[in-house]
Amino acid sequence: MRILTLTNWYPPHHFGGYELSCYDVMRRLEQRGHEVTVLCSAQRRGGVNDDDADAQHERHVHRDLELWIEDDVLVRPSFSRRLQIERHNQAVLRKVLERGTFDVVSVWHMGAMSVGLLTTIAERQLPVVYAVCDDWLIYVLSQDRWAGLFTGARWRRAAGRALHPLVRVPTVPPDLSQTGAFCFVSEFTRGCAQAMSQWSFPISTVVFSGIERAEFAPIPAPERRWRDRLLYVGRFDRRKGLETLIRAVALLPPT
């Protein structure tokens, strides 16, 4: 099977678990004989050595897309610059699509990405499977500095439809819930997307993040007694709920 994977960051340039999960799945698909092509952003993370990437796998990774974020801050470019970025991203996608026929498109993290890429994929009637591991469906349009111009009020959508023949790139974003099947990492994540985004996701399921038992072998159950010791694994990000964790630990009874 030929798989096109679309995501924002991709290891070794990444922020955390979402990107690492994508990388792990793509490598395992390759090991099973599938042909994987990854299309992601050109952004590099400081202090990351490109030599850390697997040379064989990297041959199939195209780091050419521009994001709507620079130095971890959302940009607000001029209208002409927004159009330039959107045209660039569309050209990158078309170039990849013209290289061959893909059986399926695997969409991972679209935060700060051009949603118009999904419009083009949908217009080509390619099967799409979304792997949704955070709340990007809720904030993706607010971060897209091009599609965001044509969402919300009715007059914005009307302006986008009128402008489309002139700019020759997608303007008004599609109903994403009609473009493919959605695999949410948890029922909570799916519920948040249904309640707080503008889409309903009629074709969706919950697929938990898998654990490779060969790499994480079970250990005997420890003695169940609180020892005033807690390990947090992850980056310091307000969305991770660290403040809640700290407050909860303070409420625990003394040992």
Side-chain angles (χ1 to χ4, degrees):
M1 179 177 289
R2 299 194 66 195
I3 304 168
L4 173 60
T5 299
L6 183 64
T7 192
N8 45 21
W9 292 280
Y10 194 72
H13 299 279
H14 66 90
F15 281 91
Y18 203 157
E19 301 92 289
L20 290 171
S21 294
C22 178
Y23 178 79
D24 185 60
V25 170
M26 295 310 118
R27 295 302 305 274
R28 292 173 187 271
L29 288 172
E30 286 183 330
Q31 292 169 6
R32 295 183 180 185
H34 301 291
E35 184 177 333
V36 176
T37 299
V38 179
L39 180 56
C40 60
S41 78
Q43 288 193 5
R44 265 59 176 173
R45 301 294 297 164
V48 175
N49 189 346
D50 284 330
D51 293 336
D52 294 336
D54 180 274
Q56 183 67 24
H57 180 68
E58 195 67 18
R59 291 172 52 196
H60 306 288
V61 180
H62 303 272
R63 301 179 185 274
D64 301 309
L65 296 174
E66 292 194 45
L67 299 182
W68 301 107
I69 191 170
E70 294 178 3
D71 299 323
D72 301 336
V73 177
L74 287 168
V75 297
R76 293 187 178 276
S78 64
F79 181 88
S80 60
R81 176 57 181 154
R82 298 182 195 207
L83 178 57
Q84 182 184 30
I85 292 174
E86 193 66 22
R87 283 176 171 168
H88 167 81
N89 289 340
Q90 288 290 328
V92 168
L93 175 61
R94 287 196 303 271
K95 185 176 180 180
V96 171
L97 292 175
E98 289 167 0
R99 291 178 178 177
T101 302
F102 292 96
D103 298 299
V104 65
V105 179
S106 177
V107 177
W108 286 69
H109 203 323
M110 289 294 295
M113 292 269 279
S114 293
V115 179
L117 299 174
L118 301 177
T119 302
T120 300
I121 290 171
E123 289 174 347
R124 300 206 177 197
Q125 298 184 324
L126 292 170
V128 181
V129 176
Y130 293 82
V132 184
C133 300
D134 83 347
D135 295 328
W136 66 260
L137 285 165
I138 298 172
Y139 59 75
V140 65
L141 292 181
S142 65
Q143 291 188 348
D144 187 333
R145 298 312 197 195
W146 176 254
L149 295 173
F150 313 110
T151 59
R154 184 176 301 176
W155 68 268
R156 288 180 175 271
R157 299 194 298 273
R161 288 189 288 269
L163 192 63
H164 179 255
L166 301 176
V167 296
R168 302 188 305 279
V169 293
T171 51
V172 181
D175 180 351
L176 290 186
S177 64
Q178 302 298 321
T179 61
F182 290 76
C183 299
F184 291 91
V185 72
S186 67
E187 189 61 55
F188 179 81
T189 302
R190 175 163 63 175
C192 288
Q194 291 172 330
M196 303 174 66
S197 77
Q198 58 183 267
W199 304 299
S200 58
F201 314 105
I203 304 178
S204 67
T205 188
V206 172
V207 179
F208 302 118
S209 294
I211 301 297
E212 179 54 71
R213 289 179 177 269
E215 298 178 9
F216 299 93
I219 60 176
E223 180 185 354
R224 297 186 179 280
R225 184 171 67 85
W226 174 243
R227 301 175 184 272
D228 296 319
R229 300 175 65 187
L230 183 144
L231 172 65
Y232 165 77
V233 180
R235 71 178 187 271
F236 289 96
D237 188 313
R238 191 180 188 89
R239 293 173 295 176
K240 300 294 184 180
L242 288 176
E243 294 180 356
T244 301
L245 176 63
I246 293 172
R247 289 196 298 268
V249 170
L251 297 175
L252 289 172
T255 57

